[in-house]
Amino acid sequence: MKVNYNVSAMIAHNSLQKNDKLLSESLERLSSGLKIANAKDNPSGLAMSRRMNSQIEGLGVANDTSNDAISIVQVADGTLSEIHDILQRMNQLCVQASTGTLTDDDRKIIQSEITLLKDEVDRMAGTTQFNGQNILDGSFDLKGYVKGTGTVTKADGTTEVYEDKTIMSIGVVSYSDNMEAGNYRVVKTDGSQLSFTHSADVIGPTGVEKNYLLDAEGNYYTKNSTLTDMQIQKLGTDGNYYNYFSSDIMATVNEDIITFSDRDGKEIKLQVGDTYEGDLYLELTAKGAMTMQVGANEGQTLDIRVPKVSITTLGIYNLDVTTEEEARLGIDNVKDAIAAVSAVRSRLGAYQNRLEHTTSSLDVTVENMTAAYSRIMDVDMAEEMTIYSTQQVLSQAGTSMMAQANERPSQVLQLLQ
């Protein structure tokens, strides 16, 4: 028996200290509900769980933005639904004005309603907004620019010469998704000069019907004309232009909008405001759509294209029913406008279906990832309570033994009596 160094007490103290530490850790896990309360508990598990938590939080925000995108599509589609109804009314008026029982004065009354309806189409399309941003004015469609080396002849007869300069009176209205970004040119394959020329046939009080002749000989191309002497070429990496459209290009003229398309589904629409002769160059950016973040990581986006909707792009700017002949032509123009709005609504409907599937997928992903995160971070309360009870018993036993060990040196006094 020794007095100076109470080894028994030291052993009991170490055991008590160890058990008390384990008991404190168990209490921390029980009180926080976390298996990994500190980095020392599971360093690799903590790193994994932090990444997973970041992903879960990001997916929650992505779900919100996806729902915002659905709201944008619904707002646009709601306006287009009303425009559809207006076009249907225009169609009725055109059919009514086409009958021979009406006089020209009767048709002028019908024309006054059509004029107001056209104004309403432009007003609705120009004022439809979401969060202060216009939706149907072409702000969220793919952008393209036109340059030329040639001569522009304006309506007043004045001319302006361009040398590789942006032509303000010719613009890219839209182009199909399968058109690649890059530089293009529109050329005549027979070597003649490219020409877009207005006719000047006044057809009524609404303005001038704009038809176009696409060659120097003055041959008119009407709707669905096949062009065998024109090609749209793309600039290659070697600095040379190569045919990009298939051999036969289809041209459709609708007032001042010319649509070029081929059998492979490529399509580009140009709006021509003045007579132009010369070389025409296009720069397509393939950018400008509304980019929605639909995932938690970089690059997980969805681009929403909303084409410009107006009486110009719909081809009814010069809709005139003041004569029986023009009223009959107007029936076809309104039919094309209805088809154009239907195409835009179909695209928006496809976006909405895709976004709804996206939100459902995000919900499932968040659910599964949260379950995985819980398996790493959350403590099993039943298991931890068993550990806590064991450590509590050991701690109490250690405390009792510490007291017994501290009493042992006093027993030496009995030997000294």
Side-chain angles (χ1 to χ4, degrees):
M1 300 180 70
K2 301 175 181 178
V3 176
N4 289 334
Y5 298 99
N6 190 350
V7 177
S8 298
M10 293 176 62
I11 294 173
H13 176 265
N14 288 339
S15 296
L16 178 60
Q17 193 174 35
K18 179 180 178 181
N19 290 332
D20 186 65
K21 179 182 177 183
L22 294 174
L23 181 61
S24 297
E25 291 176 353
S26 183
L27 277 171
E28 185 177 17
R29 285 192 288 268
L30 287 170
S31 60
S32 66
L34 297 175
K35 186 189 302 184
I36 305 176
N38 299 292
K40 65 182 181 60
D41 296 333
N42 186 347
S44 62
L46 179 67
M48 183 186 302
S49 64
R50 290 299 93 187
R51 287 195 300 269
M52 293 179 69
N53 186 60
S54 174
Q55 190 82 353
I56 292 169
E57 296 295 333
L59 288 172
V61 177
N63 202 335
D64 293 338
T65 59
S66 298
N67 285 312
D68 288 341
I70 291 175
S71 299
I72 292 171
V73 170
Q74 289 173 334
V75 169
D77 185 61
T79 299
L80 291 175
S81 176
E82 293 302 319
I83 292 177
H84 245 157
D85 292 342
I86 291 176
L87 292 175
Q88 294 290 359
R89 175 58 181 166
M90 286 184 179
N91 182 64
Q92 293 175 353
L93 294 173
C94 288
V95 173
Q96 182 181 0
S98 299
T99 183
T101 59
L102 298 182
T103 65
D104 288 344
D105 289 337
D106 295 331
R107 293 188 181 92
K108 288 180 181 179
I109 296 174
I110 295 175
Q111 178 64 41
S112 63
E113 182 178 352
I114 285 183
T115 300
L116 292 175
L117 290 175
K118 289 194 296 183
D119 292 342
E120 182 61 16
V121 169
D122 266 354
R123 188 201 67 78
M124 291 174 64
T127 58
T128 299
Q129 294 184 338
F130 185 90
N131 193 29
Q133 300 183 88
N134 291 330
I135 303 175
L136 298 175
D137 66 347
S139 299
F140 298 110
D141 199 6
L142 302 182
K143 300 296 187 293
Y145 305 94
V146 179
K147 288 186 177 181
T149 300
T151 303
V152 171
T153 303
K154 298 183 179 180
D156 58 4
T158 60
T159 61
E160 186 174 356
V161 178
Y162 285 78
E163 292 290 341
D164 191 25
K165 181 181 175 183
T166 300
I167 304 176
M168 302 305 297
S169 59
I170 302 179
V172 176
V173 177
S174 65
Y175 48 93
S176 57
D177 292 326
N178 57 354
M179 291 282 290
E180 301 172 356
N183 295 312
Y184 296 80
R185 70 177 181 182
V186 185
V187 297
K188 298 294 291 296
T189 55
D190 59 4
S192 62
Q193 193 174 42
L194 182 69
S195 175
F196 296 95
T197 306
H198 286 211
S199 67
D201 300 324
V202 179
I203 61 171
T206 59
V208 177
E209 179 71 27
K210 299 173 182 178
N211 297 316
Y212 292 89
L213 48 94
L214 301 179
D215 59 21
E217 289 75 22
N219 296 320
Y220 281 89
Y221 291 98
T222 56
K223 294 182 179 180
N224 301 327
S225 299
T226 301
L227 308 182
T228 58
D229 60 347
M230 180 176 288
Q231 181 54 241
I232 297 179
Q233 300 176 334
K234 186 176 187 295
L235 181 64
T237 55
D238 57 0
N240 297 318
Y241 283 93
Y242 298 93
N243 289 349
Y244 189 72
F245 276 43
S246 58
S247 56
D248 293 334
I249 298 178
M250 188 74 72
T252 298
V253 180
N254 193 353
E255 295 190 353
D256 58 353
I257 304 293
I258 303 178
T259 303
F260 297 109
S261 59
D262 69 358
R263 61 174 177 265
D264 296 329
K266 302 185 187 74
E267 180 183 278
I268 183 167
K269 291 184 179 182
L270 301 180
Q271 182 175 10
V272 182
D274 292 315
T275 295
Y276 176 76
E277 293 185 5
D279 297 328
L280 198 63
Y281 297 89
L282 312 176
E283 180 186 353
L284 306 185
T285 64
K287 296 180 180 179
M290 180 183 292
T291 301
M292 304 301 300
Q293 185 72 28
V294 295
N297 301 323
E298 181 183 3
Q300 294 179 345
T301 58
L302 171 62
D303 290 338
I304 298 179
R305 287 184 56 188
V306 186
K308 181 179 180 179
V309 177
S310 68
I311 58 175
T312 300
T313 59
L314 295 178
I316 57 173
Y317 180 84
N318 293 308
L319 182 62
D320 180 17
V321 297
T322 53
T323 66
E324 185 176 340
E325 180 182 359
E326 294 302 332
R328 288 172 182 165
L329 293 175
I331 295 175
D332 195 41
N333 290 336
V334 173
K335 181 185 70 174
D336 291 341
I338 291 173
V341 174
S342 297
V344 177
R345 293 188 67 187
S346 296
R347 174 185 287 273
L348 293 176
Y351 282 137
Q352 184 170 346
N353 287 334
R354 181 176 177 182
L355 286 165
E356 287 175 353
H357 287 299
T358 297
T359 56
S360 297
S361 175
L362 288 173
D363 289 338
V364 173
T365 302
V366 169
E367 178 184 340
N368 293 330
M369 193 164 289
T370 302
Y373 177 77
S374 176
R375 283 191 289 271
I376 296 173
M377 290 296 295
D378 289 345
V379 67
D380 185 332
M381 298 296 286
E383 179 183 357
E384 191 61 37
M385 195 63 203
T386 301
I387 296 174
Y388 172 76
S389 298
T390 302
Q391 297 301 328
Q392 190 177 40
V393 170
L394 290 174
S395 179
Q396 292 173 355
T399 301
S400 177
M401 292 303 101
M402 184 68 184
Q404 295 294 328
N406 287 334
E407 288 294 327
R408 289 193 66 186
S410 63
Q411 297 176 6
V412 179
L413 295 176
Q414 299 178 6
L415 298 176
L416 303 176
Q417 292 178 355

